[in-house]
Amino acid sequence: MMKKVTTKTLLEMKRNGEKITMLTAYDYTSALIVDSAGVDIILVGDSLGMVMLGYDSTIPVTMEEMVHHTRAVVRARKRAMVIFDMPFLSYQTGKRDAILNAGRALKETGCDAVKIEGGKEQEDTIKALVDAGIPVCGHIGLQPQSVNVYGGYVLRGKGEEREKLIEDAKAVERAGAFAVVLEKVPSDLAKEITESLSIPTIGIGAGKYCDGQVLVFHDMIGMFDKFKPKFVKRYAEVGKEIRSAVESYVKEVKNGVFPGEEHSY
């Protein structure tokens, strides 16, 4: 039986210099593929709002939607750690709400940990969650739930923001998080943060010096093409293949080719 990835596993990987792999998954079938391929962490990201539900941002995503999708992912995994991405306003309204919602995530889905956005301003909340027995992955740099404050999906950590981001990372570690996602920050800053922390950093648009990397599953296989950030690498063009297959099916049914004798009883 495969040994499950835990928070201890990730800390050991950082100490040993072994890179950590994280991908999103939002349903049973995708999670089966991701888990069996050897990914260390499956993030049930609130990005499902855009790639699965058709929202324009992550803001509308609810706890109910996150619980529904995470349950499906947990049913599929055998080895990977599963992290539940806490949606907008499920933790920003105070420590009590954060504990109740994060506790619900663990109890109702069987996930292993939660992820929340925010640095120093969320230090007390992260500590409260950890003190309540809930493992937390932090998320600093570009925070998609705050995109309306930033005025877009802009690079974070330039100029005067640099020192703030370093302090954010230290605050997340100090609060007891087991890892932190660094999103869309300069590579040299991500390197400095990674070297200064004892917990792993997981980069997305943060260069090669992080302890691990994360991408959205639908982005890296070419299933979602509404936009393509610079940091995304396409490892396949599955969307085009599926479209071609569907077009062939439509054509064959229209022309009476399918079903053939071999598909009939």
Side-chain angles (χ1 to χ4, degrees), residues 13 19-23 38-42 202 211-214:
M13 290 173 77
K19 293 290 189 180
I20 297 164
T21 56
M22 181 193 285
L23 275 177
V39 166
D40 300 309
I41 306 169
I42 298 175
I202 310 293
D211 297 304
Q213 298 293 328
V214 58

Side-chain angles (χ1 to χ4, degrees), residues 231-245:
F231 57 74
V232 170
K233 179 176 178 179
R234 292 262 199 262
Y235 285 83
E237 291 292 351
V238 174
K240 290 179 182 177
E241 288 294 315
I242 293 173
R243 181 185 176 92
S244 176

Side-chain angles (χ1 to χ4, degrees), residues 207-229:
K208 66 180 182 179
Y209 299 108
C210 296
D211 297 304
Q213 298 293 328
V214 58
L215 283 176
V216 170
F217 178 70
H218 291 67
D219 286 344
M220 60 89 70
I221 65 168
M223 276 282 285
F224 184 77
D225 59 3
K226 250 185 157 178
F227 51 84
K228 180 180 176 291

Side-chain angles (χ1 to χ4, degrees), residues 120-179:
K120 191 166 174 50
E121 69 275 13
Q122 295 297 342
E123 183 175 357
D124 290 345
T125 298
I126 295 171
K127 185 178 186 308
L129 290 171
V130 174
D131 286 348
I134 301 168
V136 177
C137 176
H139 183 148
I140 63 172
L142 174 63
Q143 298 165 39
Q145 291 175 12
S146 301
V147 68
N148 291 328
V149 176
Y150 303 147
Y153 295 90
V154 296
L155 185 71
R156 309 295 294 173
K158 292 188 297 182
E160 295 176 358
E161 279 190 343
R162 188 180 182 93
E163 289 306 314
K164 182 191 182 305
L165 227 61
I166 292 170
E167 180 50 39
D168 281 342
K170 290 178 179 175
V172 168
E173 178 181 46
R174 193 163 56 234
F178 66 86

Side-chain angles (χ1 to χ4, degrees), residues 39-110:
V39 166
D40 300 309
I41 306 169
I42 298 175
L43 172 66
V44 187
D46 60 0
S47 47
L48 68 84
M50 292 179 282
V51 300
M52 298 295 285
L53 303 177
Y55 299 144
D56 289 332
S57 72
T58 64
I59 304 297
V61 178
T62 66
M63 276 295 295
E64 285 67 30
E65 288 165 340
M66 290 302 305
V67 166
H68 172 80
H69 286 270
T70 305
R71 279 176 173 163
V73 168
V74 170
R75 290 185 201 113
R77 72 81 184 263
K78 286 186 169 65
R79 173 184 172 271
M81 171 185 280
V82 176
I83 298 180
F84 181 108
D85 205 359
M86 296 291 286
F88 184 59
L89 288 190
S90 65
Y91 60 92
Q92 292 98 332
T93 52
K95 288 184 279 188
R96 184 174 185 276
D97 285 349
I99 292 169
L100 288 173
N101 284 317
R104 179 189 173 195
L106 265 65
K107 284 169 69 71
E108 295 187 17
T109 71

